[in-house]
mmCIF file of all heavy atoms in Angstrom:
data_model
loop_
_atom_site.group_PDB
_atom_site.id
_atom_site.type_symbol
_atom_site.label_atom_id
_atom_site.label_comp_id
_atom_site.label_asym_id
_atom_site.label_seq_id
_atom_site.Cartn_x
_atom_site.Cartn_y
_atom_site.Cartn_z
ATOM 1 N N GLN D 2 -18.755 -9.750 -15.570
ATOM 2 C CA GLN D 2 -18.338 -8.495 -14.937
ATOM 3 C C GLN D 2 -17.454 -8.758 -13.730
ATOM 4 O O GLN D 2 -16.507 -8.026 -13.465
ATOM 5 C CB GLN D 2 -19.580 -7.684 -14.540
ATOM 6 C CG GLN D 2 -20.396 -7.183 -15.722
ATOM 7 C CD GLN D 2 -19.578 -6.253 -16.604
ATOM 8 O OE1 GLN D 2 -18.749 -5.486 -16.112
ATOM 9 N NE2 GLN D 2 -19.807 -6.314 -17.908
ATOM 10 N N ALA D 117 -15.304 1.865 -28.487
ATOM 11 C CA ALA D 117 -16.326 0.971 -27.931
ATOM 12 C C ALA D 117 -16.509 1.287 -26.461
ATOM 13 O O ALA D 117 -15.828 0.741 -25.612
ATOM 14 C CB ALA D 117 -15.923 -0.492 -28.112
ATOM 15 N N PRO D 118 -17.412 2.201 -26.098
ATOM 16 C CA PRO D 118 -17.645 2.519 -24.686
ATOM 17 C C PRO D 118 -18.083 1.285 -23.915
ATOM 18 O O PRO D 118 -18.709 0.380 -24.468
ATOM 19 C CB PRO D 118 -18.727 3.582 -24.730
ATOM 20 C CG PRO D 118 -18.661 4.139 -26.112
ATOM 21 C CD PRO D 118 -18.233 3.003 -26.986
ATOM 22 N N ILE D 119 -17.820 1.282 -22.608
ATOM 23 C CA ILE D 119 -18.124 0.116 -21.776
ATOM 24 C C ILE D 119 -19.612 -0.155 -21.725
ATOM 25 O O ILE D 119 -20.056 -1.300 -21.787
ATOM 26 C CB ILE D 119 -17.589 0.350 -20.338
ATOM 27 C CG1 ILE D 119 -16.075 0.569 -20.401
ATOM 28 C CG2 ILE D 119 -17.932 -0.786 -19.430
ATOM 29 C CD1 ILE D 119 -15.485 0.964 -19.091
ATOM 30 N N ALA D 120 -20.437 0.892 -21.636
ATOM 31 C CA ALA D 120 -21.871 0.697 -21.437
ATOM 32 C C ALA D 120 -22.589 0.256 -22.690
ATOM 33 O O ALA D 120 -23.717 -0.190 -22.636
ATOM 34 C CB ALA D 120 -22.498 1.971 -20.909
ATOM 35 N N GLU D 121 -21.998 0.406 -23.855
ATOM 36 C CA GLU D 121 -22.671 0.065 -25.093
ATOM 37 C C GLU D 121 -22.244 -1.300 -25.569
ATOM 38 O O GLU D 121 -21.074 -1.650 -25.494
ATOM 39 C CB GLU D 121 -22.336 1.099 -26.176
ATOM 40 C CG GLU D 121 -22.828 2.489 -25.840
ATOM 41 C CD GLU D 121 -22.467 3.458 -26.938
ATOM 42 O OE1 GLU D 121 -21.915 2.999 -27.953
ATOM 43 O OE2 GLU D 121 -22.722 4.650 -26.777
ATOM 44 N N PRO D 122 -23.156 -2.131 -26.111
ATOM 45 C CA PRO D 122 -22.757 -3.419 -26.651
ATOM 46 C C PRO D 122 -21.991 -3.228 -27.927
ATOM 47 O O PRO D 122 -22.182 -2.273 -28.648
ATOM 48 C CB PRO D 122 -24.099 -4.129 -26.894
ATOM 49 C CG PRO D 122 -25.073 -3.022 -27.087
ATOM 50 C CD PRO D 122 -24.606 -1.902 -26.213
ATOM 51 N N ALA D 123 -21.111 -4.174 -28.241
ATOM 52 C CA ALA D 123 -20.305 -4.076 -29.449
ATOM 53 C C ALA D 123 -21.172 -4.300 -30.663
ATOM 54 O O ALA D 123 -21.940 -5.250 -30.734
ATOM 55 C CB ALA D 123 -19.183 -5.112 -29.399
ATOM 56 N N ARG D 129 -12.819 -5.285 -28.113
ATOM 57 C CA ARG D 129 -13.335 -4.014 -27.640
ATOM 58 C C ARG D 129 -12.858 -3.761 -26.217
ATOM 59 O O ARG D 129 -12.569 -4.689 -25.471
ATOM 60 C CB ARG D 129 -14.872 -4.004 -27.676
ATOM 61 C CG ARG D 129 -15.521 -5.113 -26.876
ATOM 62 C CD ARG D 129 -17.019 -5.136 -27.082
ATOM 63 N NE ARG D 129 -17.641 -6.315 -26.513
ATOM 64 C CZ ARG D 129 -18.090 -6.396 -25.277
ATOM 65 N NH1 ARG D 129 -17.960 -5.387 -24.472
ATOM 66 N NH2 ARG D 129 -18.665 -7.508 -24.861
ATOM 67 N N GLN D 130 -12.799 -2.511 -25.844
ATOM 68 C CA GLN D 130 -12.386 -2.122 -24.493
ATOM 69 C C GLN D 130 -13.510 -2.468 -23.538
ATOM 70 O O GLN D 130 -14.622 -2.017 -23.690
ATOM 71 C CB GLN D 130 -12.073 -0.634 -24.438
ATOM 72 C CG GLN D 130 -11.646 -0.142 -23.077
ATOM 73 C CD GLN D 130 -11.415 1.343 -23.076
ATOM 74 O OE1 GLN D 130 -11.573 1.994 -24.098
ATOM 75 N NE2 GLN D 130 -11.052 1.864 -21.927
ATOM 76 N N ALA D 131 -13.218 -3.299 -22.524
ATOM 77 C CA ALA D 131 -14.256 -3.746 -21.609
ATOM 78 C C ALA D 131 -14.302 -2.881 -20.373
ATOM 79 O O ALA D 131 -15.352 -2.428 -19.960
ATOM 80 C CB ALA D 131 -14.009 -5.198 -21.209
ATOM 81 N N ALA D 132 -13.201 -2.658 -19.721
ATOM 82 C CA ALA D 132 -13.196 -1.878 -18.489
ATOM 83 C C ALA D 132 -11.785 -1.466 -18.197
ATOM 84 O O ALA D 132 -10.840 -1.966 -18.795
ATOM 85 C CB ALA D 132 -13.762 -2.698 -17.319
#
Side-chain angles (χ1 to χ4, degrees):
Q2 293 299 324
I119 300 173
E121 297 180 4
R129 57 186 170 90
Q130 180 183 0

